[in-house]
Amino acid sequence: MQPHLSEIFLGEPNGEKEANEKNFMEFFYDDNEKVKKILFGEEFIISGRKGMGKTILSKYVENKLKTNRKYHTKVIYTDNFLELKLKDFYNKDISDEELSLFWKWTFLYSIATVLKEGYTKNRLNYVRIKPYKKLCKFLRDNDIDKVVKVKELSKSSNMGVGIKASSLPNASASTNFSDGHSVSFIRKSYHEKISELELLVFACLKNFSVFIFFEDIDEFQSKLFRGATDNENFSFLILSMLEEVKKLNEKMRQCNENKSKINVLIRDDLIDNIHRYSSNSNKLTAGYTTNLSWISKAHKPWEHPLSEMLLKKIKSGSMYYSSKTNKEVYNELFPDRIYKRTAIKFFLENSFGRPRDVIEYLNLIKKEFPNEKAFKYKMITETLPMFSDYFYRELQNEIRIQEDNLLIHSGLTFLEEFNKSTFYYDDLFDFYKENKNQYMDISDEGVLKDMLNALYRMNVIGNSWKTKEGIVRGFWYNQTKNKHLDFNRMIVLHFALVPSIRKRNI
């Protein structure tokens, strides 16, 4: 019997939440064998916009390797990483050598911790236990709280990080945290200890391997680094981190046949920022990056990667659909056309082309129509305004973490007050000239164009033009060549934003 929508599993917008599902490993969809690249290739940078599936990918590999006794694996989240490792370090004048040394210590210490956790859980698997006992003793003697010694605690209202002496081995530093506490501490020298740690770690790696994922590195930016100068420093900090990971990965590959690896999950716009500030960064990222993208030229709607991902989850979680083909399941669940588009094309055009948005939209329909057995045309169109509100909030959250967030916020307000979903640049410019006194932060046409390009980069607006195949709507997320808005073509507001913005203008 065909199940109701409430009985169908489509996934979770939050990757970590989905990874906790009982049948998570069965639900996972591996697009273009990305798992194989991560497990056996040299790629260690996993990049993509928020919601593209970085977390789910890392959790799948983590769970897959847990069944292999030769591997110790862990996903390390930014909050722990930030609290334990970076709270005392940032300095705009820090030397490259000191920065590299810090990252080396940080990653070696993380590897050592994962090795210790594996040893503690299952000592019977360890034939040669002497190196692990020595490593455990080293970690006990060099706890992070002993490397960073707290001197005093006081109240503060602002957040900032600074070091008063750039590269002295016992530099004094202070940190103000968002919860109102100010901590002053002394960073003890770990320079003389790093060689010992490295020897112990690599002695252990001869018998066991580690696979570590550092998740949400971009959180550093919003918590510690703000402003144009800070963003430049942040880019160099990340570049230094990636260079050190590459060195360690190359060395770990020589330890045993079960190759160890450190992987870094990072937003693709941060990679773009690194390229802006460093002419050599492309050499580092080009051959070592797995970029998550769901753009496809598939002609049949059930063959699009996002469709295949959804259908894999549906079939894995339902006896009724499990033996059917993807085409059969797709045709049974989705309408043939929505506003003259295939269903998957409609969902893509009302999203940023990523799983999070499509899953959120479909789950919203499920919630509103739990007893229906298919996603009908009327259900999809009726829930679009509700999804638009969610989509607008998601956009606001993403804008906050951008380097030029003030410019983008101004641009969004400007477009809302212009109140047109399709227009040409000349019309927009006329509106600007007529109301220039209301937009003092847009000082001239150059700033206006910069603002529009920033909005294009955030997929708020795109271009539209006619071809032999029909009308094309080009946004940043689905354009590989056009990295700037074309001011000579028609400009369109993102479809999913239109209902929410119109409601704000009523």
Side-chain angles (χ1 to χ4, degrees):
M1 183 176 178
Q2 186 178 7
H4 294 106
L5 292 183
S6 60
E7 300 171 292
I8 294 174
F9 181 76
L10 295 162
E12 296 287 348
N14 183 304
E16 191 174 355
K17 185 178 179 181
E18 181 167 334
N20 291 326
E21 288 286 332
K22 182 180 178 181
N23 298 320
F24 166 64
M25 298 298 283
E26 296 174 26
F27 293 143
F28 182 80
Y29 169 72
D30 184 12
D31 177 37
N32 294 327
E33 297 187 319
K34 287 186 171 63
V35 171
K36 186 176 180 180
K37 291 179 183 178
I38 293 168
L39 283 174
F40 305 109
E42 296 185 3
E43 295 93 337
F44 66 90
I45 302 168
I46 303 173
S47 74
R49 189 171 182 165
K50 278 183 174 292
M52 281 291 190
K54 300 189 296 295
T55 298
I56 283 183
L57 180 58
S58 65
K59 296 298 288 186
Y60 178 82
V61 175
E62 179 190 28
N63 289 341
K64 187 178 179 68
L65 289 178
K66 279 181 179 177
T67 61
N68 188 330
R69 294 191 304 174
K70 287 290 184 180
Y71 276 100
H72 301 308
T73 180
K74 188 173 184 179
V75 176
I76 298 177
Y77 292 94
T78 299
D79 52 354
N80 299 326
F81 188 47
L82 183 67
E83 180 183 354
L84 297 177
K85 315 277 196 311
L86 270 188
K87 66 181 182 182
D88 70 319
F89 193 72
Y90 176 60
N91 183 341
K92 296 173 183 176
D93 298 322
I94 203 75
S95 68
D96 291 342
E97 184 181 359
E98 176 78 7
L99 193 55
S100 296
L101 191 65
F102 165 74
W103 284 120
K104 186 174 183 178
W105 167 267
T106 296
F107 289 118
L108 285 173
Y109 200 97
S110 298
I111 294 168
T113 302
V114 173
L115 285 167
K116 177 188 174 184
E117 289 173 359
Y119 169 69
T120 304
K121 287 178 182 176
N122 198 351
R123 301 187 185 197
L124 295 177
N125 288 333
Y126 289 73
V127 178
R128 296 179 60 207
I129 63 172
K130 190 174 180 180
Y132 301 95
K133 284 186 174 181
K134 286 184 176 181
L135 185 64
C136 291
K137 183 179 184 304
F138 179 93
L139 292 177
R140 285 195 303 272
D141 294 343
N142 295 278
D143 186 83
I144 193 69
D145 289 331
K146 295 179 181 180
V147 175
V148 180
K149 180 181 178 182
V150 176
K151 288 200 303 182
E152 61 187 59
L153 192 66
S154 61
K155 287 285 184 180
S156 174
S157 59
N158 297 316
M159 178 179 180
V161 179
I163 291 181
K164 298 173 184 176
S166 63
S167 57
L168 296 176
N170 292 297
S172 173
S174 63
T175 303
N176 300 322
F177 292 96
S178 56
D179 61 2
H181 289 89
S182 176
V183 180
S184 296
F185 44 82
I186 297 174
R187 177 170 51 82
K188 290 186 177 180
S189 173
Y190 45 74
H191 299 63
E192 70 275 8
K193 299 177 183 179
I194 197 166
S195 295
E196 181 186 356
L197 176 59
E198 186 173 13
L199 288 171
L200 289 171
V201 164
F202 279 92
C204 295
L205 288 177
K206 289 180 180 179
N207 300 301
F208 287 87
S209 299
V210 296
F211 226 85
I212 300 175
F213 293 90
F214 283 92
E215 169 80 272
D216 284 341
I217 297 298
D218 48 279
E219 290 296 320
F220 296 158
Q221 187 180 31
S222 59
K223 290 182 179 179
L224 293 180
F225 304 86
R226 298 179 181 180
T229 305
D230 277 351
N231 276 295
E232 183 174 356
N233 284 303
F234 175 71
S235 294
F236 282 115
L237 181 86
I238 295 300
L239 181 60
S240 174
M241 176 193 71
L242 296 177
E243 287 173 341
E244 197 55 46
V245 172
K246 178 175 176 288
K247 292 176 189 175
L248 282 172
N249 280 344
E250 288 174 347
K251 188 170 183 180
M252 287 192 294
R253 276 200 297 272
Q254 311 304 319
C255 285
N256 63 49
E257 59 183 11
N258 297 311
K259 297 175 181 178
S260 296
K261 193 198 283 189
I262 299 167
N263 301 274
V264 177
L265 280 62
I266 188 169
R267 294 198 325 263
D268 50 8
D269 63 294
L270 296 184
I271 298 292
D272 292 337
N273 279 346
I274 290 172
H275 295 330
R276 285 173 57 195
Y277 297 119
S278 172
S279 57
N280 296 320
S281 59
N282 194 51
K283 294 179 182 178
L284 173 65
T285 59
Y288 298 94
T289 299
T290 298
N291 184 258
L292 303 190
S293 172
W294 295 84
I295 303 303
S296 170
K297 294 182 179 180
H299 294 292
K300 298 175 182 178
W302 52 86
E303 292 179 352
H304 191 283
L306 266 173
S307 294
E308 290 183 334
M309 177 206 71
L310 292 167
L311 297 171
K312 172 77 182 296
K313 296 178 193 296
I314 292 169
K315 291 168 68 174
S316 298
S318 170
M319 288 291 292
Y320 175 82
Y321 290 115
S322 60
S323 60
K324 293 178 181 287
T325 65
N326 279 2
K327 179 181 178 180
E328 289 170 336
V329 178
Y330 181 92
N331 288 333
E332 199 163 336
L333 281 172
F334 298 102
D336 181 53
R337 287 286 186 273
I338 307 171
Y339 296 139
K340 299 181 180 180
R341 300 167 179 80
T342 64
I344 191 62
K345 187 174 183 181
F346 173 84
F347 289 122
L348 285 167
E349 289 187 350
N350 283 279
S351 73
F352 288 139
R354 59 189 182 181
R356 174 182 292 178
D357 303 326
V358 178
I359 291 171
E360 179 67 32
Y361 197 166
L362 291 172
N363 280 337
L364 178 61
I365 298 170
K366 274 178 55 181
K367 185 178 179 180
E368 292 298 308
F369 303 95
N371 296 322
E372 295 287 347
K373 294 184 177 181
F375 295 96
K376 298 175 183 177
Y377 177 97
K378 188 176 180 181
M379 294 156 51
I380 294 169
T381 56
E382 282 184 1
T383 50
L384 179 56
M386 298 172 63
F387 174 73
S388 181
D389 289 340
Y390 155 82
F391 196 71
Y392 185 90
R393 292 192 299 271
E394 273 288 293
L395 176 66
Q396 293 281 11
N397 290 335
E398 291 199 28
I399 289 174
R400 288 190 189 98
I401 59 177
Q402 298 301 310
E403 181 178 344
D404 49 358
N405 59 79
L406 294 178
L407 180 68
I408 299 171
H409 271 301
S410 296
L412 190 57
T413 302
F414 179 74
L415 284 182
E416 288 176 4
E417 293 172 357
F418 181 57
N419 197 23
K420 292 183 184 297
S421 58
T422 61
F423 53 90
Y424 285 96
Y425 174 74
D426 289 344
D427 298 326
L428 184 77
F429 187 53
D430 288 341
F431 174 81
Y432 163 69
K433 288 187 293 184
E434 291 170 6
N435 301 276
K436 190 172 182 179
N437 292 336
Q438 297 179 34
Y439 304 104
M440 302 304 293
D441 48 346
I442 308 175
S443 57
D444 53 42
E445 187 178 7
V447 174
L448 178 64
K449 287 190 172 183
D450 287 343
M451 182 188 73
L452 292 173
N453 273 317
L455 290 168
Y456 174 68
R457 178 169 46 82
M458 292 300 299
N459 297 293
V460 175
I461 55 176
N463 286 122
S464 178
W465 64 96
K466 290 183 179 180
T467 67
K468 293 179 180 179
E469 290 76 27
I471 295 175
V472 175
R473 292 173 179 85
F475 289 85
W476 176 276
Y477 76 86
N478 64 11
Q479 292 294 302
T480 56
K481 296 179 180 178
N482 302 329
K483 293 303 180 184
H484 296 282
L485 188 70
D486 189 334
F487 295 103
N488 295 315
R489 282 176 167 165
M490 179 179 282
I491 300 171
V492 293
L493 189 63
H494 194 291
F495 287 165
L497 293 172
V498 173
S500 185
I501 288 177
R502 280 180 178 168
K503 188 166 67 175
R504 283 170 169 75
N505 284 305
I506 294 176

